[in-house]
Amino acid sequence: YATVVIEEDKVKAVTIDTAQNEIKFSATEIAEFAAKGTKKERGEDYGMSKVPNGKGEWDKQIAAVEKYMVGKSVSELKADSAKSDLSSSVSMDINGYFEVVKAAVENAVEVKGLVEFGQTSTVSGSNKDGKVEINTVVTALGTDKDGKVVYSFVDETQQAAEITGGEVVASEQMKTKGQQKEDYGMAKQTKKLEWYKQVEEITKYLNGKASADLTSFDADIPSSVSIYSGNIKATIDKAFKNLTKI
């Protein structure tokens, strides 16, 4: 996932990360889910620097990619050119990172007073009767000179599968809850607002708030929000701690 700041059609700042988690299993048992940090958070522990003929750890390589993107116009964000220009410092496949940055640019909105920005994620997993699920919440924040929110984004991926006798049948759903919109089906099942609309209520609530204003988050968010907000609040709190100046 990526968050991009565009000014006059050029990349002013960008941050990219990857949440990569798994549930291990065998023919006879399914292990308990153990959440991992993002690739950036894991730093040297991710282990890419140990790969033969590699160009360093993932966090260092992605930092080189981010630095390369800054100052480029949107039309100049081409993975093929970057591969050549970054050949001395980046050995990993970067096509997907350019795609996710382009997607972020396509969904850009105008923001005034932006001084700091950041993004992060939290992950949870479950395993019940062979039905496994990994849920990843992603949040991006932008704040002004007073540390108050001028931009926020929340979405969640829900990766599900059934495991029986070591055989896996994975869900074919690849879109996030936000991307699914009405197709997610919460409104039909609960007669309440669809998931993405409830998240819109949360992001509207965040506007103008500083981190210190969120101590009674659950009580203060609109009554139209019925989804479990614990993971969302945890990710928002984490994002506040990961802000960097533009």
Side-chain angles (χ1 to χ4, degrees), residues 191-236:
K191 306 302 180 183
K192 297 181 183 293
L193 288 178
E194 191 50 76
W195 189 91
Y196 80 96
K197 290 185 177 180
Q198 294 196 39
V199 165
E200 286 177 355
E201 293 297 308
I202 291 175
T203 56
K204 288 177 186 176
Y205 160 79
L206 289 174
N207 194 46
K209 301 283 194 307
S211 178
D213 298 325
L214 304 182
T215 53
S216 54
F217 179 86
D218 288 331
D220 292 343
I221 55 177
S223 59
S224 56
V225 177
S226 61
I227 57 176
Y228 172 67
S229 60
N231 290 345
I232 293 175
K233 172 61 162 56
T235 315
I236 292 169

Side-chain angles (χ1 to χ4, degrees), residues 83-102:
K83 288 176 187 177
S84 175
D85 295 339
L86 296 171
S87 60
S88 63
S89 57
V90 177
S91 56
M92 63 186 182
D93 184 3
I94 59 175
N95 288 309
Y97 303 124
F98 274 78
E99 289 301 317
V100 76
V101 166
K102 287 181 181 179

Side-chain angles (χ1 to χ4, degrees), residues 22-202:
E22 63 188 7
I23 294 179
K24 295 182 179 181
F25 64 93
S26 68
T28 57
E29 65 178 344
I30 303 171
E32 289 297 317
F33 175 75
K36 297 177 182 178
T38 67
K39 290 185 178 182
K40 265 187 180 176
E41 291 168 348
R42 293 171 70 185
E44 295 295 324
D45 290 336
Y46 182 64
M48 181 173 279
S49 58
K50 300 175 184 177
V51 176
N53 302 316
K55 299 292 175 63
E57 195 50 74
W58 189 92
D59 61 333
K60 302 297 191 301
Q61 293 196 43
I62 203 67
V65 173
E66 292 169 344
K67 184 177 180 180
Y68 172 85
M69 290 179 172
V70 172
K72 297 281 191 302
S73 66
V74 173
S75 61
E76 292 173 326
L77 293 176
K78 297 179 180 179
D80 289 341
S81 299
K83 288 176 187 177
S84 175
D85 295 339
L86 296 171
S87 60
S88 63
S89 57
V90 177
S91 56
M92 63 186 182
D93 184 3
I94 59 175
N95 288 309
Y97 303 124
F98 274 78
E99 289 301 317
V100 76
V101 166
K102 287 181 181 179
V105 170
E106 290 171 359
N107 287 280
V109 296
E110 183 178 0
V111 178
K112 295 182 179 180
L114 185 66
V115 173
E116 293 187 313
F117 85 124
Q119 64 174 13
T120 192
S121 62
T122 60
V123 62
S124 60
S126 64
N127 166 21
K128 185 177 181 181
D129 300 327
K131 295 181 179 180
V132 299
E133 197 170 272
I134 298 176
N135 299 298
T136 305
V137 177
V138 174
T139 294
L141 290 180
T143 57
D144 62 13
K145 61 182 178 61
D146 299 316
K148 294 184 177 181
V149 174
V150 291
Y151 169 78
S152 61
F153 170 86
V154 177
D155 205 350
E156 182 175 358
T157 63
Q158 192 173 52
Q159 298 167 295
E162 289 193 31
I163 302 175
T164 305
E167 297 293 326
V168 179
V169 178
S171 169
E172 295 181 357
Q173 181 57 259
M174 299 300 291
K175 291 183 178 180
T176 66
K177 290 183 180 180
Q179 291 169 336
Q180 291 179 61
K181 294 191 179 297
E182 269 71 25
D183 289 338
Y184 182 61
M186 178 173 282
K188 294 177 182 178
Q189 293 180 6
T190 65
K191 306 302 180 183
K192 297 181 183 293
L193 288 178
E194 191 50 76
W195 189 91
Y196 80 96
K197 290 185 177 180
Q198 294 196 39
V199 165
E200 286 177 355
E201 293 297 308
I202 291 175

